[in-house]
Structures are given as C-alpha cells and as structure tokens.
Amino acid sequence: MDLTPYLDWLKFLHIAGAFLFAAGHGVSIAVAFRLRAERETGRMLALLDLSGWSLNLAGVGLLVILLSGIVSGVVRNDFGRAWIWASLVVLIVVSGLMTPLAGSYFSRLRLALGQRTRAIKEGEPEPVPLSLEEVVALAQSRAPELTATVGGVGFLVILWLMVFKPF
C-alpha cells in the first residue's frame, strides 16, 4: 500500500506528537524546579501528582512520534540513512538517562512525603513521612538541572538530525 500521499499528514502527526511530548515533559520539569520553593506538604503532593499526570501526556506524544516517524521513515526509505538510526539511538540513550534521574528524584520526594510509590509492593507498610525540613532538603537536589540539560541537549540533537539529515 502506497502511503506517499499521506506523508504531509505523517509529518503533521510527528510534529504534533513532539509538541505533546515536550509539553508533558515541560510541566514535569517545571514541577521539579517549583518543588524547591514549596514549603507546604499538601501542595508538594499536588505538584507531584501534576507531574505524574503530565508525563502520561508525554507518553501519548512519544507513541505518536514513534508510530508516525517509523511509518514515514518506511514510506520515504529513510531507514537506509544513518540520521534516522542516530535519532533513535539518541532517543533511547536520553530516555535511559532521564528516567532514573527524574524518576528517582520524584520517588524520593514522594516517599519523604509519606506517599506510596510503584516500588512499594502490596502488603508492605506505608512510608513514614519525614519532617518538612528533611523533605525540603531532598527537594534541593540538582537532579532537575541535570535532567533538563540531558533532555534539552538530546531534544536539540534529534531536532538537528531530523531537520538537516546530515548523513
């Protein structure tokens, strides 16, 4: 089946998915930075919930990016070119770095606030909240800067590869 007439729509979906992906991550990184200034545990938990919700949007965006990009790459015969493979490798490497960086930061804060995380198995006791001072100290981590830098550089490298197709 020839999908060449739909390449513009595939590009549109790919870019729309990238916006959704970036927007979801943008909310999450904004939350990571905002948590440092927060001193009310209820607001901190609400911010953490907002971050988790926004990452669901980012996941939908990633799915749209991958599906539209792969279909487009097949239709255009781009999988014989190195730039598309380099883009996928950068995406995998950046994802592999960002997930533990940001995930562990948010998980430590959730546990410190007495909220269950995915790591706690059913039947295990509820986490015991730490003092506000201890939670605030955890929130001062440099993980948000490192996560934003890794994600931002990765995003720019992928954007460069896709726009200029250097190899």
Side-chain angles (χ1 to χ4, degrees):
M1 171 197 257
D2 182 20
L3 296 178
T4 306
Y6 301 101
L7 278 172
D8 285 341
W9 280 106
L10 289 166
K11 186 187 300 184
F12 172 82
L13 287 172
H14 197 70
I15 293 169
F19 273 106
L20 190 59
F21 182 74
H25 278 89
V27 169
S28 185
I29 198 65
V31 163
F33 284 109
R34 177 66 184 114
L35 281 165
R36 290 181 176 165
E38 193 53 61
R39 299 298 180 261
E40 294 179 37
T41 57
R43 289 174 53 102
M44 291 175 118
L45 287 167
L47 285 168
L48 288 167
D49 287 346
L50 175 62
S51 173
W53 177 84
S54 73
L55 290 175
N56 289 330
L57 288 179
V60 170
L62 179 60
L63 184 62
V64 172
I65 289 169
L66 289 173
L67 290 176
S68 61
I70 290 168
V71 171
S72 181
V74 169
V75 171
R76 295 173 38 138
N77 294 315
D78 284 333
F79 281 97
R81 305 205 40 213
W83 70 266
I84 198 167
W85 291 105
S87 296
L88 287 168
V89 167
V90 171
L91 178 67
I92 291 166
V93 168
V94 168
S95 296
L97 291 171
M98 285 185 67
T99 300
L101 281 174
S104 63
Y105 173 72
F106 286 127
S107 289
R108 282 192 308 272
L109 284 173
R110 286 183 188 283
L111 288 171
L113 289 163
Q115 191 176 57
R116 294 181 72 83
T117 65
R118 293 179 193 155
I120 298 175
K121 294 173 181 43
E122 193 173 322
E124 290 184 8
E126 295 291 321
V128 177
L130 302 179
S131 71
L132 180 59
E133 293 77 23
E134 291 171 301
V135 173
V136 168
L138 282 174
Q140 302 310 310
S141 164
R142 291 292 169 221
E145 284 91 351
L146 187 54
T147 302
T149 300
V150 169
V153 169
F155 180 79
L156 291 175
V157 168
I158 291 171
L159 184 62
W160 175 77
L161 287 164
M162 297 191 76
V163 169
F164 295 105
K165 298 173 178 50
F167 39 82

